Amino acid sequence: MFQAAVKTFSASSGGGLTCIRHYCKKTARKLRVSEAVSGAGLGANVKVQGWVRSVRPQKANLFLHVNDGSSLQSLQIVASSELNNPSLTFGSAVEVTGTLKKSPHHKQPVELEAEQIRVVGECNPVDFPFKIKERHSLEYLRQFPHLRCRTNAFSSLLRIRSEATTAIHSYFKDNGFLQIHTPIITSNDCEGAGELFQVEPSGPDHDEDENFFSVPAFLTVSGQLHLEVMSGAFSKVYTFGPTFRAENSQSRRHLAEFYMVEAEVSFTQSLEDLTKVMEDMFRSATEHVLAHCVEDVDLFHKHVTPGHREIVDAMLKRKFPVITYSEAIDILKRSSEKFSFPTDWGCDLQTEHEKYLVKHCGNIPVFVTDYPFNLKPFYARDNQDHPEHTAAAVDLLVPGVGELCGGSLREERLDLLRVRLEEAGLEETYSWYLDLRRFGSVPHGGFGLGFERYLQCVLGVDNIKDVIPFPRSSHSCLL
Amino acid sequence: MFQAAVKTFSASSGGGLTCIRHYCKKTARKLRVSEAVSGAGLGANVKVQGWVRSVRPQKANLFLHVNDGSSLQSLQIVASSELNNPSLTFGSAVEVTGTLKKSPHHKQPVELEAEQIRVVGECNPVDFPFKIKERHSLEYLRQFPHLRCRTNAFSSLLRIRSEATTAIHSYFKDNGFLQIHTPIITSNDCEGAGELFQVEPSGPDHDEDENFFSVPAFLTVSGQLHLEVMSGAFSKVYTFGPTFRAENSQSRRHLAEFYMVEAEVSFTQSLEDLTKVMEDMFRSATEHVLAHCVEDVDLFHKHVTPGHREIVDAMLKRKFPVITYSEAIDILKRSSEKFSFPTDWGCDLQTEHEKYLVKHCGNIPVFVTDYPFNLKPFYARDNQDHPEHTAAAVDLLVPGVGELCGGSLREERLDLLRVRLEEAGLEETYSWYLDLRRFGSVPHGGFGLGFERYLQCVLGVDNIKDVIPFPRSSHSCLL
């Protein structure tokens, strides 16, 4: 049996073993690697548990690095060579007891002088897909979604993602926003028609002629309409959760399941009320991540995407410029760049255009406002301007990524909204949405931010599949 | 047009209007209701925006209550009768400018002496489904998922839900857990077979003979297996998100979409490592909610579920008792209660049993451990005991609800796990899961908590549909 493989080696041999075990049990304080490397427990008898990141046997001594995911840094273990054993390999799980001491080497502040090393779980280095001292590419790691968290790069990514999540929640909480769990399954079906996932029970018990929910039900493409419900009672709300697109695309930019941060603000006066929240949130989250994940972010900025740190620093230095869509079209028309897509007024901006506009504005995030009315969905607020008829919509474009956020003021005027829904034949489907304007309607607006794109923007990571724990896209749903 | 209906009335008439407007624009400080009622801005000229919760015209004065969702409390507005107008009705949206003063009445500390009241959005009181001064039942509110957030009870619920979410995230962050976004769409299909939702693109473009993901894909019933992936690199991880069951049930206890908090801890020694986290999290979140949502929780404990506060206080007073499944069976067998389901060793505990056990233990939460091996899924750790063969699994049962959490140590021993998967014919499907045991396996375990059941437990709310913003269940997916 596997447990028989667990081997305990102790610095003293023979009769001393029981004694040491007793001693460890009584006094060894359990410490996480992040605590140990930060100097907590110096001089104390401690126990550290984790996975071996390196093994370096020397004549008299054995050097190990042990990591438990609490930080990028591993803890150096120094042990007598007697404590070495064949199960101590890269990837194996160990429990080490010993004394935490100041390290004589400048590379790490502390090291653990081991008295006992116990291999808890072996790891055959031949079968294990990651090799000691090799820096595997993100692409290579993607083949092993169940193991890639055991590498430095992906564990850093996961710590950054967790911290960025915290930062975004904190921003909203500190600014008086209420968090709403908008639904995943919804009967709203029109906005992204053709790119929706439908949901029905699987298995033989399911009656194919009848919908489980009595109506067709889909995975949400956005929590906006449900947030708008809440905007009739709370002046600031947000949601942060998964959204879905059944896009048949294998690109580096798209996922079938991705996370969106969406916010809705009531009693707005202009788009500025939204761009302020978007910019503040971006700055606040980014500054938080840069301050709280120094080593993890450095790993990306130094080894994965060298040169990206300067871009991030530049982003945070200046206020984000605001240009109108019409100005953007002028810029594109005046440019000498050859675009694949047309740049006429009325055409949607493509990624190539967005990236050009960002470069044009100094390679920092830029807001583009007031898009052609006809490009925007029914809920976008009519600017009632002419001859160029626009809607009060805004996108935030960022270096490397293009569109990061999209938002708009919402049409709060019952009559205008009703006409628009009538024209689209949707008045009945959206009678509940019209109700929101019938009873105490207020000017309001909101936006959505693609969370994976945000991480790409901050870290410079090229492929969106490398910033989410378990990527889903057409023809791929591993695990 | 609707905007024509916006009416501005000012305390001064005629030529004074411009002057007052000018004055307001220059000096009125925008304040949220929660800030205003807490005394911020006393004596200052302020602007408050929100929805009318009551209108009381008297001879000389008009009294309004305005709420903006920032707190249960509304702000009392006192205005000269001249400012009254027919659009000022229950549910209408208003913007009020005036001076914040100490109130002469004991019911509220401050009131806003209005200089200007602007109706931003009208609300026809005949059509509006909620009536002034009526306390509508939660059941009645359920018919209006797009409007019920505008009532005191449901807005309180949403504030509590948001705060409880924050509290749970804080607990995990403060205790060194990494947050993981486990996937919603998954190709794992066996655990809840028959109760799974399957996912495929909708619409005519979709090729019915080919799966979008190349394999059948389902909505997750639990993030556990994906968290276990992370348990091979991080010693503490958690996830908090939506999970799904295609249960054909209309009960007060079940939803097709509900939120789960799931945690996984590596290097566990016994079930105690899990019960400690479960109990600590429950206490920490509950104490946080009781301390931060005093008025909102009071609304439930006083008006919706009177008497429940005593139960909650009692829950927090004592350490949660721990009994084994075998002891639980003994208790049930000795009881004089007539149960509908059998109480023989080997039978699963039903809600009636769980509720009895909770009562028996003093109506506080109780852990039940070491369930029959055959009742538990393949991943539960074999206790290898006899003659009564059990698994290291644990449930937390709570007053009113029954099962709130379920967890177990996971089988980390490769050989035992492989045999079990082979017996179930699942060895190939779960070869990735076996890999986790092949490479640096560690003893670990985890649990899941039903977030809606948690809210029901703390608030005493009987129907699970009343503690989630947009409930989904068989035959019902409104909005």
Side-chain angles (χ1 to χ4, degrees), chain B residues 72-107:
Chain B
L72 176 62
Q73 269 193 64
S74 297
L75 176 64
Q76 169 149 302
I77 313 286
V78 188
S80 143
S81 293
E82 299 164 44
L83 292 195
N84 199 358
N85 87 64
S87 310
L88 266 180
T89 59
F90 178 61
S92 61
V94 294
E95 195 174 282
V96 185
T97 321
T99 310
L100 213 53
K101 300 211 163 153
K102 246 185 136 159
S103 171
H105 306 284
H106 67 281
K107 265 194 161 179

Side-chain angles (χ1 to χ4, degrees), chain A residues 172 177-183 188 220 222-241 260-266 410 432-433 436-437 444-448, chain B residues 51 145-146 149-150 158 469-470 479:
Chain A
F172 283 116
F177 283 76
L178 191 77
Q179 186 184 1
I180 300 291
H181 290 134
T182 51
N188 296 331
T220 185
S222 156
Q224 179 201 320
L225 302 188
H226 297 97
L227 274 190
E228 282 193 70
V229 164
M230 300 303 168
S231 287
F234 303 96
S235 45
K236 294 173 175 184
V237 288
Y238 82 103
T239 188
F240 185 173
M260 282 244 280
V261 178
E262 295 178 273
E264 205 69 27
V265 181
S266 295
R410 320 305 188 187
W432 67 267
Y433 189 72
L436 305 180
R437 277 63 175 171
H444 66 288
F447 67 90
Chain B
W51 293 267
H146 61 311
C149 60
R150 302 178 186 210
L158 290 171
F470 299 95
L479 275 57

Side-chain angles (χ1 to χ4, degrees), chain A residues 282-297:
Chain A
F282 183 95
R283 279 180 194 284
S284 158
T286 308
E287 280 160 8
H288 178 105
V289 166
L290 295 181
H292 288 80
C293 305
V294 176
E295 293 172 341
D296 293 316
V297 170

Side-chain angles (χ1 to χ4, degrees), chain B residues 417-449:
Chain B
L417 185 62
R418 181 156 40 199
V419 168
R420 196 135 190 219
L421 284 170
E422 269 171 11
E423 282 169 3
L426 292 171
E427 204 196 354
E428 208 167 305
T429 314
Y430 283 98
S431 75
W432 66 267
Y433 188 72
L434 286 168
D435 268 1
L436 305 180
R437 276 65 174 170
R438 268 184 203 108
F439 305 119
S441 181
V442 298
H444 66 288
F447 68 89
L449 167 143

Side-chain angles (χ1 to χ4, degrees), chain B residues 25-314:
Chain B
K25 201 179 171 188
K26 264 185 80 173
T27 61
R29 175 178 152 207
K30 207 167 147 175
L31 225 54
R32 309 192 74 190
V33 167
S34 60
E35 296 166 329
V37 295
S38 75
L42 210 61
N45 192 258
V46 302
K47 178 157 85 176
V48 168
Q49 300 162 314
W51 293 267
V52 173
R53 285 286 165 89
S54 82
V55 191
R56 204 154 38 91
Q58 291 187 346
K59 230 180 199 168
N61 286 325
L62 167 73
F63 293 91
L64 296 178
H65 278 103
V66 171
N67 188 288
D68 65 358
S70 58
S71 70
L72 176 62
Q73 269 193 64
S74 297
L75 176 64
Q76 169 149 302
I77 313 286
V78 188
S80 143
S81 293
E82 299 164 44
L83 292 195
N84 199 358
N85 87 64
S87 310
L88 266 180
T89 59
F90 178 61
S92 61
V94 294
E95 195 174 282
V96 185
T97 321
T99 310
L100 213 53
K101 300 211 163 153
K102 246 185 136 159
S103 171
H105 306 284
H106 67 281
K107 265 194 161 179
Q108 65 272 325
V110 292
E111 57 188 28
L112 181 60
E113 214 175 273
E115 282 148 25
Q116 195 183 76
I117 301 176
R118 190 169 155 257
V119 177
V120 178
E122 298 186 347
C123 182
N124 183 331
V126 179
D127 299 337
F128 194 49
F130 309 134
K131 303 305 168 196
I132 197 164
K133 282 188 183 166
E134 240 176 80
R135 193 177 288 280
H136 302 285
S137 71
L138 293 175
E139 196 176 354
Y140 176 78
L141 300 187
R142 233 175 281 144
Q143 299 172 73
F144 309 99
H146 61 311
L147 298 172
R148 68 174 172 167
C149 60
R150 302 178 186 210
T151 63
N152 279 343
F154 207 69
S155 66
S156 281
L157 182 275
L158 290 171
R159 279 188 297 273
I160 293 167
R161 191 178 163 108
S162 180
E163 200 61 47
T165 304
T166 301
I168 286 168
H169 283 298
S170 298
Y171 170 78
F172 283 115
K173 180 145 182 70
D174 295 347
N175 287 278
F177 283 76
L178 191 79
Q179 186 184 0
I180 301 291
H181 290 134
T182 50
I184 304 300
I185 301 175
T186 171
S187 48
N188 295 332
D189 65 342
C190 30
E191 219 214 312
E195 293 184 354
L196 290 171
F197 286 110
Q198 193 165 349
V199 171
E200 283 297 339
S202 74
D205 294 349
H206 171 53
D207 179 354
E208 298 241 338
D209 297 328
E210 200 190 65
N211 294 124
F212 177 86
F213 293 106
S214 298
V215 292
F218 309 93
L219 295 185
T220 184
V221 295
S222 158
Q224 179 201 319
L225 301 189
H226 297 96
L227 274 191
E228 282 193 70
V229 164
M230 301 303 169
S231 287
F234 303 97
S235 45
K236 292 174 175 183
V237 289
Y238 81 103
T239 186
F240 184 174
T243 51
F244 306 85
R245 297 279 153 85
E247 234 167 330
N248 216 324
S249 153
Q250 300 273 15
S251 91
R252 292 169 294 109
R253 294 170 48 80
H254 294 95
L255 290 169
E257 173 178 328
F258 57 98
Y259 277 69
M260 282 244 279
V261 178
E262 295 178 272
E264 205 69 25
V265 180
S266 294
F267 299 100
T268 44
Q269 292 195 300
S270 71
L271 278 180
E272 231 185 294
D273 291 327
L274 300 183
T275 57
K276 185 177 174 354
V277 177
M278 288 151 93
E279 181 163 351
D280 284 356
M281 180 188 66
F282 183 95
R283 279 179 196 285
S284 158
T286 308
E287 279 161 8
H288 179 106
V289 166
L290 295 180
H292 288 80
C293 305
V294 176
E295 292 172 341
D296 293 315
V297 170
D298 266 6
L299 180 145
F300 278 87
H301 288 169
K302 284 190 180 144
H303 302 296
V304 183
T305 53
H308 194 73
R309 180 54 183 255
E310 289 68 41
I311 297 175
V312 175
D313 287 340

Side-chain angles (χ1 to χ4, degrees), chain A residues 201-266:
Chain A
S202 74
D205 294 350
H206 171 53
D207 178 355
E208 297 240 339
D209 297 329
E210 200 189 65
N211 294 124
F212 178 86
F213 294 107
S214 298
V215 293
F218 309 93
L219 295 186
T220 185
V221 295
S222 156
Q224 179 201 320
L225 302 188
H226 297 97
L227 274 190
E228 282 193 70
V229 164
M230 300 303 168
S231 287
F234 303 96
S235 45
K236 294 173 175 184
V237 288
Y238 82 103
T239 188
F240 185 173
T243 52
F244 306 85
R245 297 281 153 83
E247 235 166 329
N248 216 323
S249 152
Q250 301 272 17
S251 91
R252 293 170 295 106
R253 294 171 48 81
H254 294 96
L255 289 170
E257 172 178 330
F258 56 99
Y259 276 70
M260 282 244 280
V261 178
E262 295 178 273
E264 205 69 27
V265 181
S266 295

